[in-house]
Amino acid sequence: MEDIKAEKLPRHVAIIMDGNGRWAKKRALNRIRGHEEGAESVREIVRVSREIGIPFLTLYAFSEENWKRPGYEIQALMNLLKRFLRSELKEMLTNGIRLQAIGRIHKLPEDVQEELRKTARETSRNRDMVLTLALSYGSRQEILDAIQGIAKGVKAGKISPEDINEELISSGLYTEGMPEPDLLIRTSAEYRVSNFLLWQIAYAEMYFTPTLWPEFRKQEYMEAIREYQRRERRFGATGERGGRET
Ligand code: FPP
């Protein structure tokens, strides 16, 4: 961690956690064991993010597409999530971590929604890091929701079509008020964005690794951060700061 430069840290890291199933399969275990081990990686990555001073960490924990999985797997993921929220509350309070969820949260089982509300409420005054769980999340759905909101505003005469700009769209997304991700990580040798934060990652650095999520721990995370710090982030065509990143 010594060679991580504090001044060039990403403000917002977003992660597509992939490969739990393959991790389990390699060991002739069932997929649920893979998710359990994946939850251990979540714990470690949250802890390390806070330690090195990342202000925003967003994890893709359950996609809109994940509803197509077998019922028992969905149930196991929901139980794991609840267990995670309960077991990590103390740590979040000690370490100043605020938890929030983005996505179509109303589609989650009522007990999970309740646990999310409770954790969000109890951690709401924390200021050191925001941990965002994307749940029942799909980026196109998010953009659709934003557009519908704007269309209603236009219909009601509160917004004129000329007022529609990037800021207005950004402020209609679930990530309203958050900085855009600087670094997007995806594990398990899949080189896709899969409907995650499509609008928000326009200028993010991408880091893809073959490591499966249950094996993505501190060392590998530090490698991703180092790689981010090595890359020249070009601000405008000249590579000098001042313009927008390209
Ligand atoms: C992908 O593995 C991962 C998920 C479907 C969701 C991520 C969930 C966790 C890391 C566990 C619990 C989360 C929290 C927040 C405690 P996959 O099943 O798609 O893997 P595969 O592509 O190898 O089958």
Side-chain angles (χ1 to χ4, degrees):
M1 248 155 69
E2 303 67 39
D3 55 336
I4 301 288
K5 302 182 206 69
E7 71 277 12
K8 257 184 96 178
L9 270 182
R11 278 184 77 197
H12 184 176
V13 178
I15 308 182
I16 303 174
M17 310 181 286
D18 200 1
N20 295 346
R22 274 161 286 167
W23 180 90
K25 198 168 177 203
K26 259 181 27 187
R27 288 165 179 73
L29 299 168
N30 71 39
R31 297 176 55 81
I32 312 303
R33 270 294 297 131
H35 294 314
E36 284 169 2
E37 201 58 27
E40 291 307 316
S41 291
V42 171
R43 288 190 176 86
E44 182 157 328
I45 297 308
V46 170
R47 182 175 55 75
V48 173
S49 298
R50 174 65 186 87
E51 268 171 31
I52 62 174
I54 304 284
F56 292 87
L57 174 67
T58 300
L59 303 175
Y60 205 177
F62 195 86
S63 71
E64 273 286 84
E65 291 73 30
N66 287 154
W67 289 117
K68 296 187 199 124
R69 296 199 174 192
Y72 72 89
E73 186 173 346
I74 296 176
Q75 187 58 49
L77 281 166
M78 295 298 146
N79 286 341
L80 257 180
L81 176 62
K82 245 170 65 178
R83 282 219 306 270
F84 170 82
L85 294 170
R86 286 192 186 145
S87 66
E88 298 311 290
L89 179 62
K90 219 170 133 192
E91 177 124 354
M92 289 191 250
L93 292 172
T94 315
N95 292 317
I97 299 172
R98 177 159 73 82
L99 180 120
Q100 63 173 17
I102 58 169
R104 291 187 165 166
I105 304 303
H106 60 274
K107 289 175 74 178
L108 300 173
E110 185 49 49
D111 57 333
V112 174
Q113 290 187 46
E114 180 51 35
E115 203 65 40
L116 283 166
R117 279 195 292 269
K118 176 172 172 275
T119 314
R121 196 170 54 237
E122 295 194 17
T123 61
S124 63
R125 280 183 297 275
N126 291 347
R127 291 287 174 267
D128 296 319
M129 184 173 108
V130 178
L131 170 61
T132 304
L133 299 181
L135 293 163
S136 192
Y137 175 87
S139 184
R140 288 188 174 178
Q141 291 85 345
E142 174 185 37
I143 293 169
L144 265 172
D145 285 352
I147 292 173
Q148 286 193 356
I150 293 169
K152 282 180 191 151
V154 172
K155 195 175 176 200
K158 290 182 189 143
I159 303 169
S160 75
E162 301 74 47
D163 293 338
I164 301 171
N165 56 22
E166 290 188 16
E167 283 67 38
L168 189 67
I169 294 176
S170 295
S171 69
L173 301 175
Y174 311 146
T175 50
E176 184 201 356
M178 293 165 70
E180 292 178 2
D182 304 296
L183 174 62
L184 176 75
I185 298 173
R186 183 169 189 158
T187 58
S188 88
E190 303 288 353
Y191 305 97
R192 296 185 297 281
V193 178
S194 299
N195 209 15
F196 189 45
L197 303 173
L198 299 178
W199 174 275
Q200 298 91 330
I201 58 163
Y203 300 96
E205 292 289 335
M206 308 285 198
Y207 183 85
F208 295 102
T209 170
T211 303
L212 304 173
W213 177 252
E215 288 169 344
F216 190 89
R217 298 288 163 99
K218 181 175 178 175
Q219 219 183 347
E220 175 91 28
Y221 188 32
M222 291 303 100
E223 188 43 45
I225 303 278
R226 269 194 292 272
E227 170 65 22
Y228 170 83
Q229 298 197 322
R230 272 196 300 269
R231 288 186 198 170
E232 188 198 10
R233 298 196 77 204
R234 298 182 69 84
F235 291 79
T238 61
E240 283 171 15
R241 282 168 188 259
R244 194 164 188 180
E245 296 156 49
T246 54

